[in-house]
Amino acid sequence: MTEQTLYVVATPIGNLGDMVPRAVEILQTVDVIAAEDTRHSARLLDHFHITTPLVAYHDHTDERQVEALISRIKGGESMGLISDAGTPLVSDPGYRLVRRARQEGIRVVPVPGACAMIAALSASGLPSDRFSFEGFLPPKSGQRINRLQPLVSEERTLIFYEAPHRIQDCLTDMATIFGADREAVLAREITKTFETIRGGSLQELGEFVASDPNQRKGEMVVMVRGKPKPAQDQGLDAEAERIMTILLKDLSVKQASQLGAEITGLKKKALYQWALDQNN
């Protein structure tokens, strides 16, 4: 085991069979493990016969505790960082500790494993080439809507974590902002006994959750398909055509498309294609 190293170790999100052998080896051999909830993590460590001492590191850890952990590593110890489940720093504590370690020149080594966001996306059937992880939304509806509103035109798949007691209200607000017909997938209790992965429109998912109290229990990942791109053969509206017609009198197709995109907010590619079509 390398001294003066911080290992960021992923742990299972439900099924203990997803604990990778390297993670077990690392946690068995480091000098200390920084855990989000030491009592929760103790059960995991007991299962894998890991007797390494635990110290607490969570959202409420103050800077003095962070510096104390950094001092231990600089003093020659190796440390494993784990969260309650999944990959640390993905909507879990760890950012401040990892940043301070890197600032101090301490080696930081990732030990990959389970991550609810990636697991859910891989089984969702939604586009996965480009996505945006938005984490947890605010608990109050007004704040939640304010967070969602800027994402209306986002074309990437949107991924959210949500608490079970807020899932119904969350889906309602999403339907209001994104539209009731926007495609989405709800992944619940991934890798656990009652795992559910359900797709449909936001309205359909809202009705599904409202009709079954069991769907309002457990860990939730909500994935919303990005804003659909306009059909390739969709023409410009009258105002956009008027602007482009004026610009093309004095500018090249490329220049007119660039300026037209800035004026109308439309995609440069669509304006460029329209201009080419006018010359054919």
Side-chain angles (χ1 to χ4, degrees), residues 164 167-168 186 188-189 194-196 208-220:
I167 186 62
Q168 191 169 346
L186 171 64
R188 186 181 71 87
E189 293 289 83
F194 299 105
E195 176 182 272
T196 303
F208 169 65
V209 169
S211 66
D212 183 357
N214 288 323
Q215 303 307 320
R216 300 192 292 274
K217 299 177 182 178
E219 304 295 328
M220 311 276 184

Side-chain angles (χ1 to χ4, degrees), residues 188-208:
R188 186 181 71 87
E189 293 289 83
I190 299 173
T191 78
K192 300 178 184 177
T193 302
F194 299 105
E195 176 182 272
T196 303
I197 301 177
R198 177 85 171 217
S201 69
L202 282 168
Q203 180 175 335
E204 290 169 340
L205 288 181
E207 293 170 350
F208 169 65

Side-chain angles (χ1 to χ4, degrees), residues 74-92:
K74 291 179 69 176
E77 293 188 340
S78 57
M79 181 177 296
L81 172 65
I82 62 175
S83 63
D84 285 349
T87 302
L89 280 73
V90 181
S91 275
D92 280 318

Side-chain angles (χ1 to χ4, degrees), residues 180-276:
D181 294 333
R182 181 76 72 92
E183 184 182 1
V185 174
L186 171 64
R188 186 181 71 87
E189 293 289 83
I190 299 173
T191 78
K192 300 178 184 177
T193 302
F194 299 105
E195 176 182 272
T196 303
I197 301 177
R198 177 85 171 217
S201 69
L202 282 168
Q203 180 175 335
E204 290 169 340
L205 288 181
E207 293 170 350
F208 169 65
V209 169
S211 66
D212 183 357
N214 288 323
Q215 303 307 320
R216 300 192 292 274
K217 299 177 182 178
E219 304 295 328
M220 311 276 184
V221 182
V222 181
M223 294 157 287
V224 180
R225 184 161 191 162
K227 182 180 180 181
K229 295 181 180 179
Q232 291 299 314
D233 59 351
Q234 182 175 343
L236 305 184
D237 59 37
E239 179 62 9
E241 288 188 4
R242 186 185 72 82
I243 292 172
M244 286 298 296
T245 299
I246 294 173
L247 295 175
L248 286 167
K249 290 179 180 179
D250 300 306
L251 301 174
S252 68
V253 171
K254 181 178 180 180
Q255 292 170 326
S257 301
Q258 177 66 45
L259 185 55
E262 294 176 4
I263 295 172
T264 65
L266 299 175
K267 295 290 186 181
K268 177 183 175 182
K269 184 177 180 180
L271 297 175
Y272 188 91
Q273 185 60 53
W274 181 87
L276 290 179

Side-chain angles (χ1 to χ4, degrees), residues 95-141:
Y95 165 76
R96 288 181 296 146
L97 182 60
V98 169
R99 184 169 178 80
R100 283 291 296 123
R102 293 187 61 82
Q103 288 173 340
E104 292 294 327
I106 294 170
R107 185 182 179 211
V108 179
V109 177
V111 182
C115 176
M117 170 186 69
I118 298 301
L121 181 63
S122 71
S124 69
L126 295 176
S128 57
D129 55 333
R130 298 176 66 234
F131 59 90
S132 176
F133 177 59
E134 299 295 327
F136 283 97
L137 290 167
K140 295 183 178 180
S141 180

Side-chain angles (χ1 to χ4, degrees), residues 14-15 18 24 27 35 51 53 64-65 102-103 109 142 146 153 155 181-182 208 211 235 242 269 271 275 279-280:
N15 190 320
D18 293 333
V24 175
L27 295 179
T51 58
R64 289 177 300 176
Q65 290 172 290
R102 293 187 61 82
Q103 288 173 340
V109 177
N146 288 338
S153 299
E155 295 180 351
D181 294 333
R182 181 76 72 92
F208 169 65
S211 66
R242 186 185 72 82
K269 184 177 180 180
L271 297 175
N279 295 327
N280 295 333

